[in-house]
């Protein structure tokens, strides 16, 4: 990369340095706003023993589900198993370590990690298996548990538009987890639909400042729908 220009021209360059047993934080929610091409590149690299932090693990045959197929993921830190039958199978068979984390807590773990905050107290999970073995404390008469923040060796995120400096905006539901994930990686790779010139994005529009982004690549997205439901003709009568 030359100066502030963070754009790379290949997925190989985008994910250079990823090695076995690293931690990868992945943005997106369900199949919305996921960095499809970066995930496919990780599959191509056949990197093993990964700890992946993401709200869920894609679906069978798409998204992070591709990495499950090749048994590249050693541990998942997520809040939702979702529709992925292979995820469930590997969990029950003891092939996949899973740390289920409440959704809001998971988002805050990423945000706190990116902000340099090592841990925080939350009431969510107190008195449940989520809180087992964790430090607890009362604040204003309410019980809280201590949750450690999360950082990763890599963070992979997807945005709608970015300039070559890395300033970017997300569309609609893609704002779930991508902004937090982008701050929490030692190396953050951004996959975008469109690159614009610096200055074209209004400062008030920018969701993630370029200071958090290390590499940018323009992707070609399938944008698959997780579950398509179409009304039958009879139901409309």
């Amino acid at each position: 990369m030359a100066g502030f220009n963070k754009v790379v021209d290949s997925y190989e360059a985008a994910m250079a340095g990823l090695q076995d047993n690293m931690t990868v934080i992945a943005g997106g929610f369900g199949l919305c706003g996921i960095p499809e091409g970066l995930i496919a590149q990780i599959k191509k690299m056949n990197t093993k023993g990964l700890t992946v932090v993401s709200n869920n693990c894609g679906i069978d045959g798409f998204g992070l589900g591709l990495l499950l197929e090749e048994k590249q993921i050693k541990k998942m830190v997520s809040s939702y198993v979702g529709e992925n039958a292979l995820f469930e199978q590997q969990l029950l068979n003891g092939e996949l370590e899973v740390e289920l984390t409440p959704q809001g807590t998971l988002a805050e773990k990423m945000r706190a990690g990116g902000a340099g905050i090592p841990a925080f107290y939350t009431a969510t999970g107190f008195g449940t298996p989520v809180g087992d073995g964790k430090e607890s404390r009362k604040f204003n008469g309410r019980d809280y548990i201590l949750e450690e923040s999360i950082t990763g060796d890599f963070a992979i995120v997807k945005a709608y538009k970015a300039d070559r400096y890395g300033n970017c905006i997300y569309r609609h539901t893609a704002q779930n987890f991508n902004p937090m994930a982008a701050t929490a990686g030692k190396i953050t790779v951004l996959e975008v639909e469109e690159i614009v010139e610096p200055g074209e994005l209004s400062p008030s529009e920018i969701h993630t400042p370029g200071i958090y982004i290390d590499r940018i690549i323009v992707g070609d997205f399938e944008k698959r729908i997780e579950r398509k439901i179409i009304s039958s003709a009879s139901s409309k009568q």
Side-chain angles (χ1 to χ4, degrees), residues 1 6-8 13-16 18 23-27 35 38 110 113-114 150-159 162 164-168 170 177-192 208-217:
M1 295 176 291
K6 300 175 181 179
V7 179
V8 297
M15 295 306 298
L18 181 67
T23 296
V24 177
I25 301 176
L38 297 175
M110 296 181 190
I150 289 176
T151 57
D153 299 290
F154 272 76
I156 54 173
V157 295
K158 190 262 180 180
R164 62 177 180 269
Y165 297 165
N167 301 301
C168 65
Y170 311 99
F177 287 100
N178 274 307
M180 292 77 76
T183 68
K186 294 177 183 176
I187 296 174
T188 296
V189 188
L190 178 68
E191 189 174 15
V192 299
T208 297
I211 188 67
Y212 291 107
I213 306 300
D214 298 285
R215 303 169 190 168
I216 310 166
I217 187 164

Side-chain angles (χ1 to χ4, degrees), residues 164-237:
R164 62 177 180 269
Y165 297 165
N167 301 301
C168 65
I169 59 175
Y170 311 99
R171 293 192 72 217
H172 308 310
T173 311
Q175 292 183 56
N176 287 320
F177 287 100
N178 274 307
M180 292 77 76
T183 68
K186 294 177 183 176
I187 296 174
T188 296
V189 188
L190 178 68
E191 189 174 15
V192 299
E193 297 183 38
E194 180 183 350
I195 292 180
V196 301
E197 289 301 310
E200 286 190 37
L201 299 178
S202 168
S204 63
E205 292 181 307
I206 293 169
H207 296 127
T208 297
I211 188 67
Y212 291 107
I213 306 300
D214 298 285
R215 303 169 190 168
I216 310 166
I217 187 164
V218 178
D220 183 16
F221 300 93
E222 181 180 341
K223 296 186 179 180
R224 191 180 299 187
I225 296 173
E226 187 167 352
R227 178 179 289 187
K228 186 182 293 184
I229 300 176
I230 301 175
S231 298
S232 64
S234 60
S235 67
K236 297 179 181 179
Q237 295 176 355

Side-chain angles (χ1 to χ4, degrees), residues 57-235:
C57 199
I59 60 174
D60 295 293
F62 195 69
L64 291 171
L66 293 172
L67 306 186
L68 287 178
E69 290 179 353
E70 304 300 324
K71 297 187 177 180
Q72 293 174 255
I73 302 176
K74 175 184 66 177
K75 178 180 179 180
M76 277 298 305
V77 181
S78 57
S79 68
Y80 177 58
V81 174
E83 307 295 330
N84 196 319
L86 184 57
F87 186 115
E88 180 182 8
Q89 177 186 328
Q90 290 187 4
L91 169 62
L92 295 176
N93 290 345
E95 300 174 281
L96 179 68
E97 184 180 350
V98 178
E99 184 178 321
L100 288 175
T101 305
Q103 200 166 83
T105 302
L106 182 61
E108 181 61 13
K109 279 174 171 278
M110 296 181 190
R111 191 207 67 81
I117 299 169
F120 57 92
Y121 283 99
T122 176
T124 304
F126 180 83
T128 75
V130 169
D132 288 350
K134 295 177 181 176
E135 179 184 333
S136 64
R137 186 174 172 183
K138 280 187 181 290
F139 294 91
N140 298 318
R142 189 176 183 185
D143 292 299
Y144 293 76
I145 57 175
L146 186 67
E147 291 280 6
E148 294 186 8
S149 62
I150 289 176
T151 57
D153 299 290
F154 272 76
I156 54 173
V157 295
K158 190 262 180 180
Y160 172 45
K161 289 183 180 180
D163 61 31
R164 62 177 180 269
Y165 297 165
N167 301 301
C168 65
I169 59 175
Y170 311 99
R171 293 192 72 217
H172 308 310
T173 311
Q175 292 183 56
N176 287 320
F177 287 100
N178 274 307
M180 292 77 76
T183 68
K186 294 177 183 176
I187 296 174
T188 296
V189 188
L190 178 68
E191 189 174 15
V192 299
E193 297 183 38
E194 180 183 350
I195 292 180
V196 301
E197 289 301 310
E200 286 190 37
L201 299 178
S202 168
S204 63
E205 292 181 307
I206 293 169
H207 296 127
T208 297
I211 188 67
Y212 291 107
I213 306 300
D214 298 285
R215 303 169 190 168
I216 310 166
I217 187 164
V218 178
D220 183 16
F221 300 93
E222 181 180 341
K223 296 186 179 180
R224 191 180 299 187
I225 296 173
E226 187 167 352
R227 178 179 289 187
K228 186 182 293 184
I229 300 176
I230 301 175
S231 298
S232 64
S234 60
S235 67

